Amino acid sequence: MARLADYFVVVGYDLEKRGGCEGQGRILQRFPEKDWEDSPFPQGVELFCQPSGWQLVPDQLPPSFFVAVLTDINSDRHYCACFTFWEGLDNPQLQKAEASEADEADEVLSVVQPAKIFAPKSLVLVSQLDYTEVFRNCLGLIYTIHVDGLSAPLETVIGNLLTCVIPIAGGSQRTITLGAGDRQVIQTPINDSLPVSGSSVAQLFRQLGIANVLCLFCAALTEHKILFLSSSYQRLTDACRALLAIMFPLKYSFTYIPILPGKLLEVLSTPTPFIIGVNSFFRSETQELLDVIIADLDGGTVTIPECVHISLLPEPLLQQTQTALSTVLDPELEVADHAFPPQSTQPSALKIQDKEIRAVFLWLFARLFQGYRWCLHIIRIHPEPVIRFHKAAFLGQRALSEDDFLTKVLDGMAFAGFVSERGPPYRATDLFDDLVANQVERIRQEEACLHKVMNHVKEVAEQLFKNENPYPAVAMHKIQRPSENSQNNAQNQASFPMLDDVAVQLFIDHAAAKLKTAPPAVKPELKSMVPSGPPLGELFLAYIVDRNGNVMANSARRLEVVRNCITYIFENKMLEAKKLMPAVLRALKGRAARVCLTQELNQHVLQNRAVLDDQQFDYIVRMMNCTLQDCSHMDEHGIAAALLPLVTAFCRKLGAGVTQFAYSCVQEHMVWTNMQFWEAMFYSDVQNHIRHLYLETEDGGQEIGALELASEQSRLWPTLSKEMQMERVQKEESTVFSQAIHYANRMSYLLLPLDTSKNRLLRSSGLGDVESVSNSYVTNSIAGSMAESYDTESGFEDAESSDVANSVVRFINRFVDKVCNESGVTNEHLKALHAMIPDIVQMHIETLEAVHRESKRLPPIQKPKLLRPTLLPGEELVMEGMRVHLIPDGREEATGLMGGPPLLPAEGAIFLTTYRLIFKGTPTDPLVGEQTVTRSFPVASLTKEKRISVTLTMDQFVQEGLQLRSCTFQLMKIAFDEEVASDLAEVFRKHLHKLRYPQHVQGTFAFTVGQSGKMVVEHKTKDKNQSLKTLSKNLVKSAKRTIGRQYVTRKKYSPPTWENRSSFQSELDEDEISVSEEVDQSSLTLSSTIRSSDRQTMSNVVERACCRDYQRLGLGTLSNSLTRSKNEPFRISTANRMYTVCRSYPGLLIVPQSIPDSTINRICRCYRQNRFPVVCWRNSRTKAVLLRSAGLHAKGVVGFFKSPNAPTAVPSQADSTSLEQEKYLHAIISSMPSYSENSGRNTLSGFTSTHMNTSGKWGSIRGSGRLSAYNPDVGTRLAGKESPQPNGGPSEAMFLRQQKAYLYIIGDKAQLKGGKQDSFQQWEVVPIEVCDVRQVKNSFKKLMKACVPSSSTSDPNMSFLRCLEESEWMALLHRVLQVSVLVVELLDTGSSVMVSLEDGWDVTTQVVSLVQLLSDPYYRTFDGFRLLVEKEWLSFGHRFSHRGAQTLGSQSSGFTPIFLQFLDCVHQIHLQFPMEFEFSQYYLKFLAYHYVSNRFRTFLLDSDYERIELGVLYEEKGERKNPQVCKSVWDYIDRLNKKTPIFYNYMFSPEDEEVLRPYTFISNLKVWDFYTEETLSEGPSYDWELRGRQERAAEETAEKPDTGGPKSQRHIVWPCYDNLTKAVPDAITKLLQDLQSLEAELGQATDKWKDTWDKIKTTQRTETKLESKPSFSSSLLMSSNLSHQRRSQGVYLQESGVGSSINLALDCEASATSTPVPGRPSTSTLYSQFQSSESENRSFEGILFKRGALLKPWKPRWFVLDKTKHQLRYYESRQDKECKGVIELAEVESVTAGTPTMGAPKNIDEKAFFDLKTTKRVYNFCAQDSLNAQLWMDSVQSCLSDA
């Protein structure tokens, strides 16, 4: 029974304390005045009566009523029903104003004040029961008595109200009367555990809608903050009540304030979750709350802030719940589409609908929590049951461990309350218990059928409704309401009277006395055993099998494999086990297999022990690790739990009395550091022991669950005697205690690492700070403080292992405190435990030390022995090999996709030497074979190193690893073996970094080779810089001396403009010198200028190859000025001999004869880096020259384009320079013979070959979108097309022909903005877009990732070709080649070209070198190519060190492969013209590899100046101490070339003076195989000494006698493993090798291969001459089978126009510039070899006039239409066998009638003209007459339509 109302309070407006704007309320009277013992009076009632604040109002408001809820300190809720009415007062403001005369008062009075105002007064009932309607009626009655002045005294009514007692539950009805002629029936619910909701839930859904309420529901369950807004207080209370009702059976345990007064709004910023209601009046104050979900009941919206993420119900539950709710709320939805809808499908009445909605939520909870009782651990039964929930097992068995929502709910406070309330097995049950246990099966079967679900929901709803309304409604209420007139004249009524407290108190006392004498009406609770429902496992197996039946069969096979393997291991059939192992490790990814493993292993444990031998132990441990690897740290499937007893059972004997258990090898898993795992394990063990405790006392040993047992024990408990009860409590307590000791041991086993100095596990997981998050009410603070004090007392302190030991002790202490406090262990026992733990740990550490010592002595099981790599002479190990695993990356090699078994992963060691990084090992998979796998790259080529963590398939350990990427297109993904300490791996990284980025170039391998490795690692930086300083000082001093009589002015030091300076660059820059002109520099001859000490150097300069080249080209000789002939146009200038003019140029430069050195000094300032234009090549035929320079400085550009005769008052500095510049350019132009011949302007005749057709080659330069490179105007002019006139008039084709310029300047588009073209200048600027260095760098990175991906991917967007395209590498090659071909064309037609791009050392170098390579056959030989690279790349200062990021200083600028890009271009040209190069493709690869390898000094440093400084440039030939060590790559190649033909191209048979014009379209370019090839057998094949050594080693091993059977002569060649050129040599190499070996056998002196080859070639030539048959050139007959050559040959035969001299014009018309050389067979002859006669293919033939190229006349040609080959060929005459050109019909777009143009044949009918339009150009033809023309057009048309 309970009181209906605890207190009655009258609260009024406090007139005394009236402050500024806000008034206050005060309690006027309260009954009873003394607090009840069981429910103290709640504080702050006056705030809640007027939540929006106490205010006086001018008009009387109608009375209002609402119920506020207050929660006291014991979390009991008090319902405060507030009835508020307004009473009139005389206006206190008026009186106050009269009293005071102050000025302020006048202002107040300016607002007209009403004479009467109204103050609120509240009648409040405080109760612990929630009967809203009853409270409304009672307070209404009291108000009515007061207003209407009824006869009943108020004291009596209030006394009766306070003494009314009603039952809490049981479903009975109680009629009450307050003694004023009234009567009310109070209905109690049947079961008070179910909430009573009236119709509030239905109301809430109407206000907010389904989705919003579900959202709030999930938010409340996952502990978010929820705020309701409404302008009605009662609505707020109802909404909050509804939200709590749908959360049943969970109870909300956080802040719950349905109505929050305005004065307490700061409560909203509390950090804890809450459900709070606030009046909409305060809406603005709630806006800045960032983490609160706001539900506006009036507007029907729910606002979720951005930072809040609400986890929603898992699917399919969410969908099903929404469907069920919409069916309840809108039953018409189902039949809305029916043609004959049923008559009545109205939704149920609100009260019923309310219960249906709640039933849906109960159904939802039954599904969410089904089977929860199977995961309860009962750890104590007496005196009180203590129950814990095993969350991980529940989630695991429900397969919801990933589900966010359920995980959060189970972690929440509400669920903890649920477990403690519903956990006990013996208690009263309710509707939910029945639903979750007995109806689960039904719910599962019906979930798919909505009708059945709705029927079930309706049944549950009926029960819920019956609980609130067990009897039909009785109309017995009789309550007076205030009469109409009393409400009208309320203005004048008296205020609410003071009541007589004595009278009321008498009533209360009287009732209390009566109660004491009455007998207690105790209705006994019906306790029973709570049903558990079907076990979890069965339920979900049913689910899984329904979904996929075949899973079972598949897993059965896997389980079989696991069982067999274990059997083999224990039967000691190790080989069988080894074969099954990989399959087992794969199978163990599945849960069933892991469970099977634990069961199988269990069978092999006898008396808690199983002693194994080493190999068995190794396999078992490996399987355990693999099993644990895939367990999450929660261990939701209980795998770790099942393995826990096993890891302490399996062991091996290591030595006398030393046993190693499996646990020391399976510690590396997160699960062991998870406190919740240990708690769950502990509780399940305790439960089992307690169950056994009571099972023994029963006689029947049948299977009884722990919960059933506990429920039985709880039922018997009251019947036992005190002693029996005590005994049972003690027994249970000591059971828990003994288990705690056991667990302290177990935890120390798994947490203390074998090598206690290496504290891996604890450090990685931060074990010391893992707080337990399990549902526990016990605070850890008391326990924790106790633990610390014991820990210090025990005096346990051990220096070397204290950190490990301490953290383990702390962890175990925390665990022990927690579980012992929860399971009620006595304090004495707890103290004893704390004292024991440090000793347990210490003891275990001592045992481990012995095990560790012994285990080190064990021979490592089958770890392959580390293979030593062969090193180069002078190469030394920096670090001994570390055992690592080489992991497969994204290339196909290792996977075996290309044929051959998968070679990776491989196990071996990584070696760091002074030169390379080498991995050498054998494949991990023992069935692959015994091959060695080698991967290596030069340390200097490392571009990226990143740490990775790797899971090795076999051992299932996650290991730290490194991914190392090199610009020689190698990638090493290595994982360090567990035997490698992590600090050692760190040392390795540091050494690697030091070697990769030495302080200075002298630290690179090319300089340190042969010195001891120690030197490499530690450099003394101080002395080095000093020597550099003195060097530079001396150099500059000698320069000053040399300059002689000129006086020297120090330039103001301006910081260098390079992106990065190397470490000593800045010091050098300070000594820059500028020379003011006093002496005419040119009058000083070379010998007179240079002092004898410097002559040595100069003679060296003269010796340099460049000079030889200049002499070859006729560009000038170094001789005395007297003998120098003045008529030579160019001279060699020594202006830069001391590198004072331009630091990055060579010492000798070619400049026009007429330009004195003084001018050079001035001109150079206009150009970036002082790199002024110098001549680098001259065309021997046209005498046009090629110049190179850097781009102009911005200031120079303007002056450059000013017309020279612009009137200027005073010639300014800029003007004079620009004049000098102009003079310089004129000097160049005048040097050209064509200029001197035609003193007038030269016309463009002969210039425009068909190549230059706008729509042809150069069109693409302009038009190709992002790669557009030319200003269209210039392009058309170059192509010989007229630009349209500026005024838009027609351009007259033949008359206003643009002239060809003498000099074209290829400049950077970005720089040339704003420069006007001057019509009278003899040069023309061609602006192009160049790729900047950043673009190349990024493109290269992407290219590396495409060719050597770090991991394999199936994503089609990441395929090789897609990545290659995205890298844009091919597009960049296209751009460079395109520009180069343009320059070649211009030079070939007699114009000079000056390439003036960027700083003149990147793109400029590429273009200039390619132009020379294409134009001059000399550069396509060994000597020529070497000379080209030395001259253009090395002497002209390409910044190799900087672009290659070779030192610490240039590390930040990153690797930019400008030179590699050039080599790739050469490779593309080589592919298209295989017969034009003396060197092979391998030669290019060799250079590509060694230009980054730093093995040679050739490609180090940034300019000749730096090389001289370090004394690298002119190393004396005789001073080589070590003949093995080559300092120059060229010497090395020469030596190698003498020994082996590897660099030679057998197809080399050059044409005389052949100019190459390669196709440059991206479709014509091929990916260089240098980027993709891989040789795992020996690593990259570019270090030849290694090859010899490896072969010798191989021979030695092979010499051992082989007792096996007969040897096969066959040899298997694996792609990507074997070196193909070596394993399958091409025919010629093979023959040469055989020849040498035969000669050696015969004892003859072997010839050099080159001599042999040359002999054969000469005989071949003479034979060919004798036979004089049309055939391929001799070299083709001797072609080899090297793949690329074979490919090109194929191309040669299939596509016309790829062989060098066969028409390269893009439209296949013979161009004016590349007429076939008679000595070379042309296409037609090639064809004629393969076909019996050509006549068969001649579909139509005859004579046509064809208009020639620009400015060429119309010529008659013999045309042949060939249907078979689908082409139109033409010849000089009918008899001619040499085809002049071919028009491919595939490219023809249309054939149309034409009109005669200028120069056409006379006297011919207009209709005889017709035009043939191809994709590239338009051909104009003219037949003999119109008839003939028509015939031709028809024939061509029919050919086209046939196709």
Side-chain angles (χ1 to χ4, degrees), residues 1704-1724:
L1704 244 184
L1706 285 175
D1707 41 23
C1708 289
E1709 175 191 345
S1711 66
T1713 51
S1714 68
T1715 45
V1717 183
R1720 186 67 114 21
S1722 67
T1723 349
S1724 55

Side-chain angles (χ1 to χ4, degrees), residues 54 58 220 266 341 698 1003 1029 1072 1074 1166 1284 1436 1497 1572 1615 1680 1778:
W54 288 82
E266 66 268 18
E698 315 287 313
K1029 222 177 251 181
E1072 249 181 76
S1074 70
C1166 303
F1436 275 99
R1497 299 185 185 180
T1572 51
S1680 67
E1778 291 281 59

Side-chain angles (χ1 to χ4, degrees), residues 197-209:
S197 58
S199 57
S200 57
V201 176
Q203 192 65 46
L204 178 66
F205 272 87
R206 288 200 166 180
Q207 286 163 331
L208 293 179

Side-chain angles (χ1 to χ4, degrees), residues 407-428:
T407 312
K408 283 182 180 167
V409 171
L410 298 184
D411 280 336
M413 290 278 285
F415 189 74
F418 173 85
V419 170
S420 54
E421 179 195 346
R422 292 184 180 264
Y426 186 66
R427 56 174 170 80

Side-chain angles (χ1 to χ4, degrees), residues 174-454:
R174 179 60 60 95
T175 309
I176 60 163
T177 172
L178 302 182
D182 62 309
R183 185 170 68 245
Q184 284 185 75
V185 177
I186 295 180
Q187 169 65 60
T188 59
I190 298 178
N191 187 340
D192 70 325
S193 71
L194 297 176
V196 174
S197 58
S199 57
S200 57
V201 176
Q203 192 65 46
L204 178 66
F205 272 87
R206 288 200 166 180
Q207 286 163 331
L208 293 179
I210 295 177
N212 281 341
V213 178
L214 274 176
C215 205
L216 289 179
F217 167 74
C218 293
L221 285 181
T222 52
E223 305 187 351
H224 287 287
K225 307 178 184 180
I226 298 174
L227 177 66
F228 285 104
L229 292 179
S230 172
S231 51
S232 146
Y233 290 120
Q234 192 51 42
R235 288 263 174 102
L236 286 175
T237 307
D238 283 348
C240 293
R241 179 194 292 123
L243 189 54
L244 293 199
I246 58 176
M247 280 171 70
F248 175 81
L250 298 181
K251 295 198 169 138
Y252 192 73
S253 51
F254 294 102
T255 314
Y256 173 75
I257 312 176
I259 298 172
L260 181 71
K263 281 201 172 161
L264 302 180
L265 276 181
E266 66 268 18
V267 171
L268 291 176
S269 50
T270 168
T272 52
F274 56 67
I275 296 178
I276 290 182
V278 168
N279 194 315
S280 310
F281 178 70
F282 298 112
R283 180 190 301 272
S284 56
E285 269 107 291
T286 64
Q287 292 312 310
E288 64 270 14
L289 298 168
L290 293 179
D291 55 347
V292 179
I293 298 161
I294 299 178
D296 182 355
L297 296 171
D298 309 349
T301 60
V302 169
T303 314
I304 303 169
E306 278 178 19
C307 62
V308 172
H309 164 69
I310 301 177
S311 310
L312 291 176
L313 289 164
E315 287 293 3
L317 274 180
L318 181 62
Q319 188 55 46
Q320 290 167 346
T321 310
Q322 282 175 329
T323 313
L325 287 172
S326 61
T327 315
V328 168
L329 289 167
D330 184 10
E332 290 182 7
L333 179 67
E334 246 190 313
V335 293
D337 289 353
H338 288 198
F340 305 106
Q343 297 302 312
S344 61
T345 46
Q346 288 304 314
S348 336
L350 262 190
K351 273 188 173 179
I352 308 286
Q353 204 182 35
D354 179 273
K355 304 302 170 281
E356 286 173 352
I357 294 171
R358 280 181 51 198
V360 171
F361 279 97
L362 264 178
W363 171 83
L364 167 70
F365 273 114
R367 290 192 59 190
L368 270 181
F369 291 163
Q370 63 195 33
Y372 81 97
R373 299 198 70 76
W374 291 93
C375 296
L376 293 176
H377 284 160
I378 184 146
I379 47 177
R380 289 295 291 273
I381 301 177
H382 304 318
E384 282 293 312
V386 178
I387 290 191
R388 286 285 156 266
F389 182 70
H390 190 351
K391 176 181 110 182
F394 181 69
L395 286 173
Q397 291 185 291
R398 295 285 307 266
L400 285 170
S401 48
E402 298 299 310
D403 182 56
D404 215 15
F405 173 77
L406 197 54
T407 312
K408 283 182 180 167
V409 171
L410 298 184
D411 280 336
M413 290 278 285
F415 189 74
F418 173 85
V419 170
S420 54
E421 179 195 346
R422 292 184 180 264
Y426 186 66
R427 56 174 170 80
T429 57
D430 62 13
L431 177 60
F432 178 73
D433 288 315
D434 173 57
L435 204 58
V436 80
N438 305 332
Q439 314 253 347
V440 176
E441 206 39 56
R442 174 179 172 184
I443 290 177
R444 195 177 74 73
Q445 285 163 0
E446 292 178 356
E447 70 180 51
C449 170
L450 186 64
H451 283 288
K452 290 182 178 170
V453 172
M454 290 323 293

Side-chain angles (χ1 to χ4, degrees), residues 532-550:
S532 290
L536 259 178
E538 295 170 17
L539 268 170
F540 286 94
L541 267 178
Y543 263 130
I544 292 163
V545 178
D546 289 352
R547 291 196 191 142
N548 39 0
N550 63 337

Side-chain angles (χ1 to χ4, degrees), residues 737 780-797 806 809-810 812-814 816-818 820-821 825-840:
F737 175 59
N780 281 337
S781 54
I782 317 160
S785 61
M786 279 167 57
E788 278 154 32
S789 58
Y790 295 136
D791 198 12
T792 46
E793 277 168 30
S794 71
F796 157 71
E797 195 56 56
N806 286 342
V809 168
R810 276 201 303 278
I812 300 177
N813 271 333
R814 274 221 315 284
V816 163
D817 284 331
K818 186 164 187 315
C820 291
N821 283 322
V825 172
T826 58
N827 258 347
E828 290 73 42
H829 273 163
L830 196 55
K831 277 183 185 167
L833 261 174
H834 279 307
M836 279 154 74
I837 290 169
D839 301 340
I840 291 175

